[in-house]
């Protein structure tokens, strides 16, 4: 079986440089219209054309209830913490935020400034030279950033 070629309908990549990280911390049992809340967030991020979203299930944690939830063998049925991470440009994350505020009534929504160092092609800028877009060549490097001969 051959891999599928990239399609133009794929979400845009976040360019190397400054970005904004949205983290939503909720209970794995939280729902939105009979669907897991984390699934709803991921699908909305996809529909909004954001660069990507990932869901991580915690193994132990507590929140506003102060009740510790754990994944230990005797507590398999516990309501564990889940985090949804989305990274994109500040403009795109801030435009997406009102929809998150509508969904998350019992959870924590965080925004953090971050720096994209690498994004799938080796560095996120698409030119394959290992430097961020517009970055000057390293000192002592040749004309295109290559080491001197």
């Amino acid at each position: 079986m051959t891999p599928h070629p990239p399609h133009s309908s794929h979400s845009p990549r976040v360019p190397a440089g400054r970005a904004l990280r949205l983290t939503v911390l909720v209970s794995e049992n939280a729902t939105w219209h009979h669907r897991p809340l984390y699934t709803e967030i991921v699908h909305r991020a996809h529909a909004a054309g954001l660069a990507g979203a990932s869901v991580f299930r915690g193994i132990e944690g507590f929140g506003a209830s102060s009740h510790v939830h754990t994944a230990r063998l005797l507590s398999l049925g516990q309501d564990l913490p889940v985090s949804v991470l989305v990274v994109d440009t500040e403009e795109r994350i801030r435009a997406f935020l009102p929809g998150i505020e509508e969904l998350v009534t019992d959870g924590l929504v965080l925004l953090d400034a971050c720096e994209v160092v690498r994004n799938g092609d080796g560095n996120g800028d698409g030119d394959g030279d290992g430097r961020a877009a517009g970055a000057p060549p390293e000192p002592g490097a040749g004309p295109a950033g290559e080491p001197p001969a």
Side-chain angles (χ1 to χ4, degrees), residues 9-119:
S9 64
H10 281 216
S11 298
R13 291 185 179 205
V14 180
R18 294 187 346 194
L20 202 59
R21 176 179 48 214
L22 168 66
T23 304
V24 182
L25 300 165
V26 294
S27 155
E28 73 178 329
N29 291 339
T31 60
W32 177 262
H33 297 280
H34 310 289
R35 180 182 200 180
L37 180 56
Y38 57 85
T39 298
E40 183 66 22
I41 294 169
V42 168
H43 285 265
R44 285 190 184 197
H46 184 259
L50 297 179
S54 298
V55 178
F56 299 92
R57 184 176 188 236
I59 58 171
E60 191 164 24
F62 71 94
S65 72
S66 294
H67 183 264
V68 175
H69 302 275
T70 181
R72 292 191 194 122
L73 186 59
L74 297 176
S75 304
L76 286 178
Q78 292 296 321
D79 184 17
L80 295 170
V82 173
S83 62
V84 183
L85 271 67
V86 183
V87 177
D88 209 313
T89 63
E90 180 171 359
E91 178 181 317
R92 295 171 63 85
I93 292 292
R94 290 203 183 274
F96 183 66
L97 196 55
I100 293 300
E101 292 172 341
E102 168 197 2
L103 292 175
V104 180
T105 58
D106 193 21
L108 186 61
V109 178
L110 305 169
L111 288 176
D112 299 295
C114 62
E115 182 177 354
V116 174
V117 175
R118 183 176 178 159
N119 188 358

